[in-house]
Amino acid sequence: MTSETLLPGQPLALPARSLPQSRDGRVRASLVGVTRYEGPTLTISRARPHPPTTNSVVLGVVTRLSPLQATVAISVVDGLPLPAGEEFTGVIRSQDVRATEKDKVRIGECFRGGDVVKGTVISLGDARSYYITTARNDLGVIFATSEAGATMEPVSWQAMRCPRTGRIEKRKCAKPENL
């Protein structure tokens, strides 16, 4: 059988005849780990978070902006959340935002403070931070809050709309995974 990484609260796929029932009729994971079936037994081995390496997919929050780069607090590496207080720092340089028209990129039009960004580590950078790229269609802002405080919806690869006010704000959006 295939193995998958589970997060706390995700339902477990178990044979119906051997289920102890939970409140909603489903058994849920209580720890982060990888599922593995050994005959009729399901084991979940704890997945240990690790520092980012080249080509690691990371999630983080934009903490600081400058005209040349955005600083990101990395909190998830390769799908595994890091323990609280053990975040890494990443930098998205203006030339690493998109693959084309790199000279026309304005960091302030691509990211805002508090945006949740999905990116790929392209190098280990300097002693303080990792270099991150968002130059693929599936990389960029995945969650943003508008000035009105509402969760924004992507309308194109470079804009998001506030559902409350209808106002459009520029962002470098990640293509949603289900499209």
Side-chain angles (χ1 to χ4, degrees):
M1 294 207 126
T2 63
S3 62
E4 63 175 310
T5 302
L6 288 176
L7 298 174
Q10 287 184 308
L12 296 173
L14 296 174
R17 64 189 181 287
S18 64
L19 286 181
Q21 297 298 313
S22 67
R23 181 176 295 179
D24 63 352
R26 302 177 92 177
V27 175
R28 298 187 179 276
S30 62
L31 53 92
V32 176
V34 178
T35 60
R36 188 174 59 247
Y37 289 93
E38 297 170 352
T41 306
L42 170 70
T43 60
I44 301 176
S45 58
R46 288 188 177 223
R48 302 279 183 218
H50 53 71
T53 59
T54 304
N55 295 324
S56 289
V57 176
V58 296
L59 294 178
V61 177
V62 176
T63 57
R64 199 169 45 238
L65 295 171
S66 77
L68 298 177
Q69 65 187 23
T71 305
V72 177
I74 300 170
S75 56
V76 177
V77 178
D78 291 327
L80 296 174
L82 298 171
E86 293 188 21
E87 291 88 12
F88 295 99
T89 301
V91 172
I92 303 172
R93 301 174 297 182
S94 60
Q95 66 262 33
D96 298 326
V97 172
R98 60 179 181 233
T100 59
E101 298 179 332
K102 294 179 181 188
D103 55 333
K104 295 182 181 179
V105 171
R106 295 178 188 248
I107 290 290
E109 293 180 354
C110 298
F111 307 106
R112 299 261 172 95
D115 288 356
V116 178
V117 177
K118 180 179 181 182
T120 302
V121 175
I122 52 175
S123 76
L124 302 181
D126 56 19
R128 291 183 297 266
S129 58
Y130 294 88
Y131 287 137
I132 301 171
T133 183
T134 58
R136 291 192 335 225
N137 290 344
D138 63 327
L139 304 176
V141 176
I142 58 173
F143 177 85
T145 305
S146 69
E147 292 177 358
T151 301
M152 305 206 26
E153 304 165 339
V155 292
S156 73
W157 68 272
Q158 59 184 359
M160 295 183 105
R161 179 179 55 229
C162 173
R164 189 176 297 162
T165 63
R167 184 170 179 209
I168 292 180
E169 296 180 19
K170 289 188 173 185
R171 298 286 204 286
K172 195 298 185 181
C173 301
K175 181 178 179 182
E177 292 182 10
N178 57 357
L179 294 179

